[in-house]
């Protein structure tokens, strides 16, 4: 989950201020940190300008659609929910139970948020989890293009107030209460389609697009819910990008953590051209042998993942104070997963890096401390 636009404590208020245009120099600086290869000659050529432009256009479109004007906000706030209170409360409780069971650390981090924001985040989390399980869950063997087509039709029904079940109803109510656009949700489904069609990625440009679809979209979904601090002076576009970078960093970390498990399924989510630069191929991945070349390759991949977290961190302190804790929890926890890969001597072929329960719980007070930091006037 990720970073955000400004909302007051009321559930239906959209972005009322903040330019949607980021100064060209700031865009160039931020993009350079992501696109540029780690400081190693001829290593990791990075994304083309066209690749970045495509993602920029998606973010700008979502910012525009999810930024309501004051007049529209007032109109929406006057509407009444179309669900019975007891029914929708039960629906959100089901989402709460799922989030508490499967995302304990993040769930604990949401407890400082307002009730309306909590419920909205839980509903979004559950929809994302259910979407992911279509491809990676216990019934993944029944996956087909028709299943995803039906899921996308069902998503449209959710946004039009026609939920299929109680979990759908929770998201439908969230859509009713917050200015959520359907595009990031559709893009996540497209990421699931990509997973059914591709098991190799020739370059980081291809992998970046995949990471946007399956994880960067989560940041864009949650932007209108979490809110930014009233004293923050950065633009909505900047906060959306920070949210996107956190999602990308999280997915890159998941990929590095799960290399061995994915290989058992015949999948390699690592840029093929970058493997070749270190004299590695898919055979080296499937052999599950950790060599010096593999360690060098992993070191560079970890550097890249951390660079996305560094960019995301710049926006975390811009959030509304009630929403910062879960974001900082995610940042710290995923960084610790990268640390665990290093502690395993870069063996992510036969070992799965993980952060133990005690360490996870210890991240909470640290994340809370970071959440207390006030927004800076400018992003570095």
């Amino acid at each position: 989950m990720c970073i955000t636009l400004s909302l007051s404590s009321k559930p239906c208020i959209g972005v009322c201020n903040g330019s949607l245009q980021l100064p060209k120099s700031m865009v160039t600086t931020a993009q350079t940190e992501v696109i540029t290869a780690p400081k190693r000659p001829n290593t990791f050529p990075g994304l083309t300008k066209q690749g970045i432009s495509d993602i920029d256009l998606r973010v700008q479109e979502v910012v525009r659609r999810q930024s309501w004007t004051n007049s529209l906000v007032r109109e929406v706030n006057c509407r009444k929910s179309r669900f019975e209170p007891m029914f929708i409360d039960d629906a959100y409780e089901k989402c709460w139970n799922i989030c508490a069971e499967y995302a304990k650390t993040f769930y604990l981090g949401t407890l400082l948020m307002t009730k309306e924001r909590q419920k909205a985040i839980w509903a979004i989390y559950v929809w994302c989890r259910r979407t992911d399980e279509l491809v990676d869950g216990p019934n993944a063997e029944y996956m087909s293009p028709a299943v995803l087509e039906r899921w996308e039709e069902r998503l449209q029904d959710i946004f039009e107030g026609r939920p299929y079940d109680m979990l759908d109803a929770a998201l439908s109510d969230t859509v009713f209460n917050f200015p959520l656009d359907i595009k990031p949700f559709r893009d996540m489904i497209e990421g699931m389609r990509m997973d059914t069609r591709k098991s190799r990625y020739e370059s980081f440009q291809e992998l970046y697009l995949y990471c946007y679809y399956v994880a960067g979209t989560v940041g864009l979904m949650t932007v209108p819910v979490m809110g930014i601090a009233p004293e923050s002076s950065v633009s909505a576009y900047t906060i959306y990008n920070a949210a996107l970078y956190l999602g990308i960093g999280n997915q890159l970390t998941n990929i590095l953590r799960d290399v061995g498990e994915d290989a058992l399924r015949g999948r390699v989510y690592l840029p093929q051209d970058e493997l070749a630069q270190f004299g590695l191929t898919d055979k080296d991945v499937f052999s599950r042998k950790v060599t010096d070349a593999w360690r060098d390759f992993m070191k560079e991949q970890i550097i890249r993942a951390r660079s996305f977290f560094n960019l995301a961190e710049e926006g975390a302190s811009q959030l509304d104070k009630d929403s910062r804790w879960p974001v900082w929890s995610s940042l710290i926890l995923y960084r610790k997963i990268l640390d665990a890969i290093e502690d395993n001597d870069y063996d992510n072929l036969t070992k799965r890096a993980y952060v133990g329960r005690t360490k996870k719980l210890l991240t909470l007070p640290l994340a809370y401390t970071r959440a207390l930091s006030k927004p800076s006037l400018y992003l570095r």
Side-chain angles (χ1 to χ4, degrees), residues 31-32 41 56 80 86 93-94 107 124 133 138 140 153 158 188 197-199 209 234 302 315 320 327 354:
Q31 290 180 352
T32 300
D56 274 351
K80 296 182 179 179
M86 289 185 63
E93 185 174 358
K94 286 183 179 293
Y107 161 74
I124 292 171
E133 286 187 341
E153 292 171 2
I158 288 172
M188 175 172 277
R197 296 193 300 257
K198 290 176 67 72
S199 59
L209 185 60
V234 302
I302 289 173
D320 182 273
V327 176
Y354 71 96

Side-chain angles (χ1 to χ4, degrees), residues 13 19 22 29 75 77 84 92 140 185 241 257 264 291 307 320 323 325 338 341 348:
I13 297 185
S19 169
L22 187 65
T29 301
E75 177 183 339
N77 275 333
E84 291 295 327
Y92 279 120
F185 294 84
N241 270 333
R257 179 195 62 195
L264 294 175
T291 63
S307 73
D320 182 273
S323 300
W325 196 14
L338 295 176
I341 295 173
N348 49 1

Side-chain angles (χ1 to χ4, degrees), residues 40-330:
R40 180 189 182 105
N42 301 320
T43 303
F44 298 166
L47 299 179
T48 64
K49 290 183 179 179
Q50 183 61 43
I52 282 292
S53 297
D54 290 343
I55 300 300
D56 274 351
L57 289 174
R58 294 174 192 273
V59 174
Q60 290 178 26
E61 181 181 358
V62 172
V63 170
R64 178 180 59 80
R65 290 183 175 182
Q66 294 188 160
S67 301
W68 291 352
T69 62
N70 285 331
S71 60
L72 181 57
V73 171
R74 285 193 295 268
E75 177 183 339
V76 171
N77 275 333
C78 293
R79 298 186 303 180
K80 296 182 179 179
S81 175
R82 50 182 87 177
F83 300 111
E84 291 295 327
M86 289 185 63
F87 170 80
I88 201 61
D89 286 346
D90 288 344
Y92 279 120
E93 185 174 358
K94 286 183 179 293
C95 294
W96 167 74
N97 288 331
I98 293 171
C99 189
E101 180 176 357
Y102 294 102
K104 293 181 176 63
T105 304
F106 179 80
Y107 161 74
L108 291 173
T110 66
L111 296 182
L112 289 184
M113 299 173 70
T114 65
K115 287 295 182 183
E116 291 300 325
R117 287 177 178 173
Q118 282 180 14
K119 293 188 295 185
I121 290 297
W122 298 339
I124 292 171
Y125 169 83
V126 168
W127 185 87
C128 292
R129 181 176 180 83
R130 297 173 88 188
T131 302
D132 181 69
E133 286 187 341
L134 294 175
V135 174
D136 289 332
N139 296 317
E141 59 183 296
Y142 303 109
M143 170 52 54
S144 69
V147 171
L148 290 174
E149 287 296 329
R150 174 62 191 120
W151 190 249
E152 189 162 5
E153 292 171 2
R154 187 163 156 175
L155 173 67
Q156 185 68 43
D157 288 340
I158 288 172
F159 270 73
E160 293 177 0
R162 299 190 301 272
Y164 179 79
D165 60 19
M166 291 186 74
L167 297 179
D168 284 359
L171 182 58
S172 190
D173 189 66
T174 294
V175 169
F176 186 84
N177 289 329
F178 290 89
L180 299 182
D181 184 64
I182 198 171
K183 183 173 178 55
F185 294 84
R186 282 180 171 158
D187 281 350
M188 175 172 277
I189 295 174
E190 184 60 31
M192 301 304 111
R193 290 193 181 98
M194 187 179 292
D195 239 349
T196 64
R197 296 193 300 257
K198 290 176 67 72
S199 59
R200 301 292 187 281
Y201 293 84
E202 292 302 318
S203 65
F204 182 66
Q205 181 178 355
E206 287 188 10
L207 185 62
Y208 182 88
L209 185 60
Y210 169 73
C211 290
Y212 160 75
Y213 278 130
V214 300
T217 49
V218 180
L220 305 188
M221 295 172 194
T222 57
V223 160
V225 176
M226 289 191 168
I228 64 173
E231 62 269 30
S232 175
S233 63
V234 302
S235 70
Y237 182 66
T238 305
I239 303 301
Y240 268 91
N241 270 333
L244 174 65
Y245 294 146
L246 180 54
I248 298 290
N250 285 352
Q251 186 61 27
L252 289 175
T253 301
N254 288 338
I255 288 170
L256 298 182
R257 179 195 62 195
D258 298 338
V259 170
E261 293 179 9
D262 289 332
L264 294 175
R265 300 188 301 157
R267 294 182 172 274
V268 179
Y269 292 96
L270 299 168
Q272 295 289 306
D273 58 348
E274 296 175 4
L275 281 168
Q277 290 177 32
F278 286 82
L280 299 167
T281 66
D282 287 354
K283 289 183 178 179
D284 295 288
V285 178
F286 296 138
S287 72
R288 299 166 69 83
K289 292 182 180 179
V290 179
T291 63
D292 287 340
W294 179 260
R295 292 185 182 92
D296 290 341
F297 173 69
M298 273 298 112
K299 289 175 184 177
E300 300 292 352
Q301 296 291 329
I302 289 173
I303 288 173
R304 173 181 281 155
R306 284 182 173 139
S307 73
F308 281 95
F309 290 137
N310 292 341
L311 289 172
E313 182 174 326
E314 297 288 4
S317 62
Q318 305 295 320
L319 299 177
D320 182 273
K321 60 182 179 62
D322 294 336
S323 300
R324 295 175 199 161
W325 196 14
V327 176
W328 276 110
S329 297
S330 178

Side-chain angles (χ1 to χ4, degrees), residues 354-365:
Y354 71 96
V355 180
R357 178 179 175 80
T358 300
K359 285 187 177 181
K360 284 183 179 179
L361 293 176
L362 289 176
T363 66
L364 292 174

